[in-house]
Amino acid sequence: MDNTEVLMVLVTMAVATFMTRAFPFVALAGVADHPLIRRFGRLLPPMVMVVLVVYGISGMPLDQIRSVLAVASGVVATVALHCLFRHVLLSIFVGTGVYMTLIALVG
């Protein structure tokens, strides 16, 4: 392939990606104020976070009480900080730090 063909492929991919990302917003513009759509917009982010947390915890070694306590402490720290400050990055970083510190200390 020469440079022109590579450029054409890249432009085609960029346009296709943009169209697939923009299509839902264009197609649903007329129903954006519908109560069901607003409810989904409010409820889906926390639901996705719960699924991600459960998936993340399911892959952790929970065969020893020390590991279970480290995981539980990290999750509790994350939830508590998020409820107090409503700052996502703060709660994620501190919760991860609590978990990693406890794992390092208890072996």
Side-chain angles (χ1 to χ4, degrees), residues 59-100:
M60 300 215 172
L62 300 177
D63 54 348
Q64 297 178 356
I65 190 69
R66 295 180 296 195
S67 298
V68 173
L69 289 176
V71 169
S73 298
V75 170
V76 167
T78 302
V79 170
L81 284 172
H82 186 71
C83 288
L84 285 173
F85 299 111
R86 298 279 182 203
H87 194 280
V88 175
L89 289 178
L90 174 70
S91 58
I92 290 172
F93 284 138
V94 172
T96 303
V98 166
Y99 168 73
M100 294 180 74

Side-chain angles (χ1 to χ4, degrees), residues 11-98:
V11 168
T12 303
M13 290 185 335
V15 169
T17 301
F18 177 77
M19 288 175 55
T20 57
R21 301 293 169 99
F23 178 73
F25 295 101
V26 173
L28 298 175
V31 294
D33 290 331
H34 192 275
L36 184 63
I37 300 296
R38 276 190 270 129
R39 183 173 174 91
F40 280 150
R42 196 184 80 231
L43 293 179
L44 279 177
M47 291 168 54
V48 169
M49 289 304 296
V50 168
V51 169
L52 290 173
V53 168
V54 169
Y55 178 75
I57 290 173
S58 69
M60 300 215 172
L62 300 177
D63 54 348
Q64 297 178 356
I65 190 69
R66 295 180 296 195
S67 298
V68 173
L69 289 176
V71 169
S73 298
V75 170
V76 167
T78 302
V79 170
L81 284 172
H82 186 71
C83 288
L84 285 173
F85 299 111
R86 298 279 182 203
H87 194 280
V88 175
L89 289 178
L90 174 70
S91 58
I92 290 172
F93 284 138
V94 172
T96 303
V98 166

